Amino acid sequence: MQKIIQSTTRPYLLHAGLATGTYCSTMARTTAVVLASRPDGAPVLANFRLEERPVPHLHEGQALLRTIYLSLDPYMRGRMDAGRSYAKPVEIGEVMEGGTVCQVVESASPLVKAGDFVLAHSGWQTHAVVDARQLRRIDPNRAPISTALGILGMPAFAAYVGLTEIGRPRAGETVVVAAAAGPVGSVVGQIARLRGARTVGIAGGPKKTAWLTELGFDAAIDHRSTTFADDLGAAVPHGVDVYFENVGGAVWQAVFEHLNDFARVPVCGLIAQYNQTGPSAGPDRLPLLMKAINTKRLLVQGFTQRDFVASHYDRFQTDVSTWLADGLLKYREDFVDGIDNAAGAFLGLLQGQNFGKLIVRVADDPTRTVPVPPRA
């Protein structure tokens, strides 16, 4: 990753709470990761650049934030491309997009005040000035504030709406989820169990499959195993009623053979295909898919969690908070320290190296009494 330091002035950092006195935002600088170039296939560190830049002046209705936690998620790979998608791509030279948990340093809005903890979308940078109307306040007494990026945030919400509104599992049905050890898949499987379904998780490696067993999955399959196809078949003797798709590629091909009549397939992500620059190798399997959709009466539906925010977010918060309090949901967080390590961690995410919700700790968390554990 290229590094350009435009000034010797270090970014303004807060360590434990807020500095005393009035803070002038024109004095602040932010360290940001920007998109240096568009990838051709798999991204590399050279596609990113670390910069220091001034923080914009604070105007009425805005808030100056310092980033504590940055979320790294697979969807960011799509933002690096210029092709048409459901959201605008990041332009060359712009700060990489991403959800953040921040603390308000200074506010020119009645909606938030200095010291508040907020959920933002301020990207890969240490400080940002944003419209306060785009912020959602976080109660640090409710749960660790990092959970607003995972089990109480976007990934779990995607799991919740994709499974309950598209997958709609019924008691006794078989639900299979890909990338089951991730922050989306692990929640899909646990909610499916709460609904009385039989759950099969697919993940990469024995550590991840062992954790799925701890979560209560009825079967955990390692897609890296040479016997993956046979293991999957043995785990779904009565076929698959709901397949929650996060991966695509070879995992989809294996599950496809077992889909039952009237199976539902919520398509949340296709991480195995994000780096493709052309058609997949091998024969064209689209006719087989279309025939199966027709003859098996399959429902295959893509979605993004933003489609459901207005109608389902409050209910999601209520349900998941209750399940957490009752000990019915568990989660893992995978922390990386430092904004300068964000790009490398993101590349590892695309290769399945994370174990749980991947989060960059950008600055000290004054609400955390127990130190963030080192990466496993």
Side-chain angles (χ1 to χ4, degrees):
M1 180 170 63
Q2 306 172 54
K3 184 175 182 180
I4 296 181
I5 301 298
Q6 299 175 328
S7 168
T8 56
T9 305
R10 297 306 302 163
Y12 181 88
L13 294 177
L14 297 173
H15 296 288
L18 294 172
T20 57
T22 301
Y23 175 69
C24 178
S25 63
T26 58
M27 296 169 58
R29 299 187 70 80
T30 184
T31 299
V33 178
V34 305
L35 183 64
S37 59
R38 301 205 183 278
D40 182 13
V44 296
L45 287 177
N47 297 132
F48 304 92
R49 185 171 65 246
L50 189 68
E51 293 184 353
E52 273 192 10
R53 51 174 62 187
V55 173
H57 183 71
L58 192 66
H59 294 287
E60 184 176 354
Q62 295 182 324
L64 170 65
L65 309 179
R66 73 161 184 122
T67 306
I68 299 174
Y69 296 113
L70 163 67
S71 177
L72 295 180
D73 301 285
Y75 79 84
M76 296 171 178
R77 173 61 186 86
R79 300 294 192 275
M80 299 176 71
D81 292 333
R84 180 180 178 183
S85 185
Y86 61 86
K88 178 181 177 292
V90 176
E91 299 298 334
I92 301 298
E94 286 186 344
V95 176
M96 281 292 296
E97 178 179 337
T100 53
V101 167
C102 304
Q103 189 172 26
V104 178
V105 175
E106 183 182 359
S107 178
S109 167
L111 299 178
V112 293
K113 64 181 184 300
D116 283 349
F117 297 97
V118 295
L119 178 65
H121 204 78
S122 52
W124 297 23
Q125 55 186 333
T126 59
H127 297 79
V129 170
V130 302
D131 186 334
R133 292 173 297 181
Q134 299 173 355
L135 303 175
R136 190 185 298 271
R137 278 187 290 186
I138 300 171
D139 180 1
N141 296 313
R142 178 187 178 200
I145 59 175
S146 59
T147 59
L149 300 175
I151 192 66
L152 290 172
M154 181 273 290
F157 183 52
Y160 179 88
V161 295
L163 184 68
T164 62
E165 295 303 310
I166 301 173
R168 297 181 177 271
R170 294 181 285 271
E173 289 190 322
T174 296
V175 175
V176 174
V177 56
V184 176
S186 60
V187 175
V188 168
Q190 291 179 88
I191 295 177
R193 287 190 68 249
L194 292 174
R195 294 206 162 199
R198 183 174 180 276
T199 58
V200 177
I202 300 172
K207 288 185 178 180
K208 293 181 179 180
T209 55
W211 187 60
L212 297 182
T213 301
E214 292 179 21
L215 294 181
F217 279 68
D218 295 284
I221 311 300
D222 184 353
H223 68 78
R224 297 175 182 169
S225 170
T226 57
T227 59
F228 167 58
D230 290 338
D231 296 341
L232 176 63
V236 293
H238 304 295
V240 176
D241 301 296
V242 179
Y243 173 53
F244 197 100
E245 177 65 285
N246 290 314
V247 174
V251 174
W252 158 254
Q253 300 293 356
V255 176
F256 174 70
E257 306 296 332
H258 300 282
L259 293 177
N260 287 331
D261 289 353
F262 304 105
R264 287 83 69 196
V265 183
V267 182
C268 183
L270 297 165
I271 193 169
Q273 300 169 208
Y274 287 162
N275 294 326
Q276 286 187 196
T277 57
S280 299
D284 180 7
R285 294 177 62 87
L286 180 60
L288 289 177
L289 172 61
M290 298 303 294
K291 180 179 179 181
I293 290 174
N294 178 218
T295 59
K296 291 188 175 183
R297 289 82 86 203
L298 304 178
L299 171 66
V300 181
Q301 181 175 338
F303 75 100
T304 71
Q305 53 84 29
R306 66 177 61 182
D307 300 335
F308 297 91
V309 170
S311 57
H312 289 73
Y313 192 79
D314 289 343
R315 191 173 74 194
F316 155 75
Q317 288 288 332
T318 298
D319 286 348
V320 172
S321 296
T322 300
W323 293 331
L324 281 171
D326 293 343
L328 299 175
L329 281 185
K330 298 178 182 178
Y331 65 95
R332 284 184 65 108
E333 295 175 318
D334 189 352
F335 290 97
V336 173
D337 279 321
I339 192 69
D340 54 334
N341 289 318
F346 177 65
L347 299 186
L349 169 72
L350 296 178
Q351 298 169 9
Q353 294 176 8
N354 63 300
F355 191 175
K357 177 69 194 86
L358 185 56
I359 299 172
V360 179
R361 185 174 65 171
V362 178
D364 290 340
D365 177 355
T367 70
R368 186 178 282 270
T369 57
V370 178
V372 171
R375 296 194 81 182

